[in-house]
Amino acid sequence: MINENAMIMANGMTALIEKLGVLGAEKFVFNLTKSEPFDYTEWRRENLYEDISLEELAHKAAEFSREHPVKFRG
């Protein structure tokens, strides 16, 4: 059985490729891993959902999940 981290990585790459294409996904991963320090948690705090309540965020996440069901490949 695939471990949880491997499943997350596989689903993440699938999502990136679906949205950005193979080259765009590779550029995204490269930019995340290049030598410059990048603090995703800090970036997320500063750039995503600054003025949104936890309840609204949960509602948006549930809505997104309904509209974009996970497709497992295997």
Side-chain angles (χ1 to χ4, degrees):
M1 183 169 156
I2 266 183
N3 72 35
E4 183 179 4
N5 287 339
M7 182 67 79
I8 290 169
M9 294 296 292
N11 288 338
M13 283 306 299
T14 298
L16 286 172
I17 291 169
E18 287 176 358
K19 282 291 191 183
L20 305 174
V22 173
L23 185 59
E26 288 183 6
K27 286 181 178 181
F28 177 81
V29 171
F30 172 78
N31 283 315
L32 277 181
T33 59
K34 65 184 180 181
S35 61
E36 287 181 25
F38 177 75
D39 185 343
Y40 171 78
T41 303
E42 185 64 29
W43 173 83
R44 189 189 66 201
R45 280 187 198 128
E46 292 175 358
N47 294 287
L48 297 178
Y49 307 113
E50 293 175 343
D51 301 322
I52 190 169
S53 70
L54 182 59
E55 290 79 17
E56 189 175 351
L57 179 60
H59 174 76
K60 286 181 178 287
E63 185 177 280
F64 181 88
S65 181
R66 281 191 301 277
E67 293 172 1
H68 302 89
V70 174
K71 301 171 191 166
F72 291 100
R73 294 188 173 121

